[in-house]
Amino acid sequence: MGKIIKRLAGCVREYKGLSIATLLLMVGEAAIESVIPFITGEYLINVIQKSNGNVEMPYIIKIGILMAVMALFSLAFGGFAGLTAAKAAAGFAKNLRHDLFGKVQEFTFHNIDKFSSASLVTRMTSDVTNVRMSYMMLIRIAIRSPLMLIFSIIMAAKACGWMSLTFVVVIPILVFGFLIIFRRAMPAFRRVFKKYDKLNESIEENVRGMRVVKGFSREEYEKKKFAAASDAICEDFTKAERIVAWNTPLMNFCMYFNMIFTLIVGSWLAIAKPQTGVNVGQLSMMLNYGMQVLMSLMMFSMIFVMVTISVESAKRICEVLEEEPDMKTPEDPATKVADGSIEFENVSFKYAADAQVFALSDINLKIPSGATVGILGGTGSSKSSLVQLIPRLYDASEGVVRVGGKDVRDYDTAILRDSVAMVLQKNLLFSGTIKENLRWGNENATDEELIEACKLAQADSFVQSFPEGYDTHIEQGGTNVSGGQKQRLCIARALLKKPKILILDDSTSAVDTKTDALIRAGFRSYIPATTKIIIAQRIASVQDADMIVVMENGRIASVGTHEELMKSSEIYREIYEQQTNGNGGDEQ
């Protein structure tokens, strides 16, 4: 727990001053409020006993003014503390989200797979909110409550003597009760946050796959799945809240015990045993201080509940902050990629260290700079896994991957990835204009360069057909453009990088063969020196490549040109015949 607190405390940073100011203001408020009952009790003693009811008006006015001034100061301290606490907690949450988001940007695909995207979203939203609320309560109420408790007990002992021993009975009962509640509630809250991840995952999948859901008329099924996840959270929260709800009766018991003891015993002593020195003023002090002690403990119980909830959130946040990216940039990294040559030497790869089966096995392949390489293979043959090793989206488990003659692990990761442009199998456009999306490839690209790239990617014609042209707004996920349009925009975005290596991962599957051929022709004229790797299902997309790699079950089955593979590769020949109806003609 100490490690978690230390880690989160580092996110306070520039809001440390506001946090300290809140603590000091709380000390002032607690000190004033603990003195007010003492002044009230002394006033009653002077009025009733010492003066026998004959009190001069100046004395009453003096005490009244003193009480009013102290109340105003207490109000001011509390008000300013609320303001500084709110600013400090909001700033702390801002820093925490900033650190979490920055950490996630450093993650490799393997790190993200470990947490899942839905869980990361939950940690940066719900979990941060829980921790923010706890922090605000800790720097405010968690300081005020113990101070009020200590000050009130000291003042009660000073003013009421042995009668304050009632707190010796009440406080241990409360503390013991809180510990039992904490131990029983924590497992339930821990289960709740894990189920929150599943709930968010269900929502994310449903929203992203809404077209599929509607296409298969599975709305009712999705509703039932969501309801089941929601009910599971509700059930665990109900169990946890049922346990936490014991706070209130426990507090009420202690409060009323103190009041009854003070009133009955104190009144009896004041009336029947005046020689004990117990008087009305002391009873007033004891009741007020008793109320302050119990109210302090009640506020402390509120903090206790909030902290109980947020402890698990804090652990989940720290898991992300302490996660180390499994790819490290060397101390003296290479900062220039010489060319687009690629070499795989005895490469094997699996997605998890404890996985039983390798996704790729014994890969040996040399690709000269500027070559056009096609990769073919059935579903699950690990074509995408192979190309993801080139920009270090994953690291090879065994063997070496070289780019420009150097091991990819020797490069500065940002430099390496800036030299490799990937158009992924799942194309993604961000919300914003077409221009803004294209400039992801080159933020300084001119309008003329954008248009040129789109012409090469065969995207300019449909972009110009939009009423707002390149200023057309793209909805989140690119839902207002077709699959083929999205692919062509993503290809144009990649071309703007003018990379040394361009990888197309089945990214022309949604365009017709004529457009596909025009795109490839554009590559030859626009980026002749760039190494082009094209993963495709259609032989027509790779038929004119300098080299075609045929993959099967995570291994390279054969390598060669179209003519060579037609003679030597049964797999390639079978795919070709299936796609040309066995007559060697054009693809249908």
Side-chain angles (χ1 to χ4, degrees):
M1 194 63 197
K3 187 177 180 182
I4 292 174
I5 293 171
K6 183 178 179 181
R7 186 69 185 81
L8 294 181
C11 296
V12 178
R13 295 198 287 273
E14 69 270 28
Y15 297 95
K16 191 180 294 183
L18 286 171
S19 301
I20 294 172
T22 302
L23 301 180
L24 295 175
L25 289 166
M26 284 293 96
V27 171
E29 184 187 21
I32 291 173
E33 291 205 10
S34 63
V35 173
I36 290 175
F38 183 81
I39 295 174
T40 304
E42 286 293 315
Y43 172 76
L44 290 174
I45 293 171
N46 287 329
V47 169
I48 297 173
Q49 287 189 317
K50 294 183 179 179
S51 62
N52 295 318
N54 298 318
V55 182
E56 295 181 357
M57 187 56 65
Y59 175 75
I60 297 175
I61 294 173
K62 176 184 174 182
I63 296 297
I65 292 173
L66 177 62
M67 297 280 284
V69 170
M70 294 185 73
L72 286 173
F73 270 101
S74 176
L75 180 63
F77 281 138
F80 281 114
L83 180 63
T84 55
K87 287 183 177 179
F92 167 66
K94 179 199 72 174
N95 289 343
L96 197 53
R97 287 194 181 97
H98 177 272
D99 290 356
L100 282 168
F101 189 78
K103 190 70 175 183
V104 171
Q105 300 312 301
E106 298 174 7
F107 282 177
T108 62
F109 283 6
H110 179 266
N111 296 120
I112 293 172
D113 293 342
K114 176 181 176 180
F115 289 103
S116 86
S117 57
S119 178
L120 289 172
V121 170
T122 304
R123 293 170 199 241
M124 281 190 272
T125 52
S126 300
D127 287 340
V128 169
T129 299
N130 289 336
V131 172
R132 177 183 67 82
M133 292 296 295
S134 287
Y135 183 73
M136 185 164 62
M137 296 179 78
L138 285 170
I139 62 174
R140 207 179 158 203
I141 303 175
I143 293 299
R144 185 182 188 280
S145 294
L147 288 175
M148 284 293 296
L149 182 67
I150 294 168
F151 291 165
S152 297
I153 290 175
I154 292 172
M155 295 298 290
K158 183 178 186 307
C160 307
W162 63 269
M163 284 185 65
S164 61
L165 291 176
T166 181
F167 299 133
V168 176
V169 177
V170 170
I171 293 175
I173 292 174
L174 284 171
V175 172
F176 183 70
F178 289 159
L179 289 175
I180 293 176
I181 292 169
F182 178 81
R183 292 189 62 181
R184 296 195 62 185
M186 273 304 297
F189 284 121
R190 193 172 293 118
R191 289 193 301 271
V192 163
F193 288 111
K194 289 181 179 178
K195 290 179 180 179
Y196 260 131
D197 290 344
K198 292 183 179 179
L199 182 71
N200 284 346
E201 188 175 342
S202 175
I203 295 170
E204 184 181 357
E205 286 182 347
N206 183 270
V207 172
R208 285 186 176 180
M210 185 59 69
R211 286 171 173 75
V212 177
V213 172
K214 292 188 177 296
F216 284 87
S217 299
R218 297 286 282 177
E219 292 92 343
E220 291 303 318
Y221 170 79
E222 288 294 314
K223 287 179 184 178
K224 289 178 182 177
K225 187 171 76 170
F226 179 83
S230 183
D231 289 344
I233 291 176
C234 179
E235 183 180 349
D236 277 339
F237 247 130
T238 302
K239 288 180 181 177
E241 293 294 345
R242 190 183 298 135
I243 296 169
V244 171
W246 281 97
N247 272 337
T248 301
L250 183 63
M251 286 299 307
N252 287 338
F253 169 77
C254 294
M255 185 183 299
Y256 292 129
F257 171 82
N258 181 73
M259 289 177 63
I260 292 169
F261 176 84
T262 301
L263 287 171
I264 294 177
V265 176
S267 298
W268 177 74
L269 289 173
I271 297 170
K273 303 284 185 178
Q275 64 272 21
T276 59
V278 176
N279 53 55
V280 174
Q282 287 180 318
L283 288 179
S284 172
M285 291 184 205
M286 189 63 193
L287 285 173
N288 284 325
Y289 283 126
M291 188 63 68
Q292 283 189 352
V293 167
L294 294 173
M295 286 302 295
S296 297
L297 289 170
M298 184 175 288
M299 287 189 290
F300 193 76
S301 73
M302 290 168 55
I303 301 168
F304 178 78
V305 172
M306 192 64 225
V307 170
T308 300
I309 294 172
S310 62
V311 161
E312 188 60 28
S313 290
K315 287 180 181 178
R316 286 158 51 85
I317 289 169
C318 287
E319 283 175 0
V320 176
L321 292 175
E322 293 175 0
E323 176 74 8
E324 288 298 325
D326 54 5
M327 293 181 189
K328 298 289 186 182
T329 297
E331 292 183 4
D332 187 22
T335 57
K336 184 178 180 180
V337 179
D339 55 44
S341 61
I342 304 166
E343 181 180 359
F344 293 84
E345 182 180 339
N346 301 321
V347 170
S348 295
F349 168 71
K350 53 186 177 181
Y351 283 96
D354 56 354
Q356 300 296 315
V357 180
F358 281 91
L360 292 167
S361 299
D362 303 321
I363 302 296
N364 286 280
L365 180 66
K366 286 187 177 182
I367 301 172
S369 181
T372 299
V373 180
I375 301 179
L376 288 174
T379 302
S381 58
S382 296
K383 303 183 295 296
S384 297
S385 300
L386 179 71
V387 297
Q388 286 175 352
L389 300 181
I390 297 171
R392 281 196 82 192
L393 298 181
Y394 292 98
D395 267 338
S397 304
E398 298 175 6
V400 179
V401 180
R402 296 187 181 91
V403 170
K406 291 183 180 292
D407 189 331
V408 292
R409 289 169 290 200
D410 292 337
Y411 284 107
D412 180 283
T413 307
I415 297 294
L416 173 65
R417 290 178 181 167
D418 196 48
S419 299
V420 181
M422 286 192 73
V423 184
L424 298 172
Q425 194 170 10
K426 295 180 180 178
N427 296 289
L428 180 64
L429 295 174
F430 297 91
S431 56
T433 65
I434 290 177
K435 280 184 180 179
E436 289 169 346
N437 271 276
L438 292 172
R439 286 196 170 107
W440 273 68
N442 178 3
E443 61 182 353
N444 299 315
T446 64
D447 289 352
E448 291 74 20
E449 288 174 324
L450 298 183
I451 293 170
E452 183 184 13
C454 283
K455 284 180 178 179
L456 291 165
Q458 304 302 306
D460 180 67
S461 58
F462 77 78
V463 173
Q464 297 286 10
S465 69
F466 294 147
E468 297 180 48
Y470 283 85
D471 291 315
T472 299
H473 185 79
I474 297 292
E475 301 295 337
Q476 185 177 16
T479 56
N480 59 332
V481 291
S482 69
Q485 291 171 339
K486 190 188 298 184
Q487 285 186 337
R488 283 176 277 174
L489 287 172
C490 289
I491 291 170
R493 181 173 64 189
L495 289 173
L496 284 167
K497 287 186 74 173
K498 296 182 180 178
K500 288 186 167 61
I501 299 171
L502 173 65
I503 300 171
L504 304 182
D505 187 356
D506 201 17
S507 50
T508 57
S509 58
V511 301
D512 58 82
T513 52
K514 180 181 178 181
T515 303
D516 188 9
L518 290 171
I519 291 171
R520 286 183 279 113
F523 291 166
R524 285 192 292 271
S525 63
Y526 187 65
I527 47 172
T530 296
T531 304
K532 298 161 281 289
I533 300 176
I534 303 170
I535 297 176
Q537 299 296 331
R538 299 183 299 208
I539 282 186
S541 298
V542 298
Q543 190 170 337
D544 58 351
D546 302 316
M547 179 192 304
I548 300 172
V549 179
V550 180
M551 297 195 66
E552 184 180 26
N553 298 325
R555 296 174 182 271
I556 293 178
S558 50
V559 179
T561 62
H562 170 70
E563 291 76 16
E564 291 170 345
L565 292 174
M566 285 296 291
K567 296 175 182 178
S568 63
S569 173
E570 183 178 344
I571 297 172
Y572 185 84
R573 190 165 53 249
E574 182 180 339
I575 296 172
Y576 179 80
E577 289 174 353
Q578 286 174 350
Q579 293 184 2
T580 60
N581 291 330
N583 59 18
D586 292 336
E587 184 183 358
Q588 301 298 311

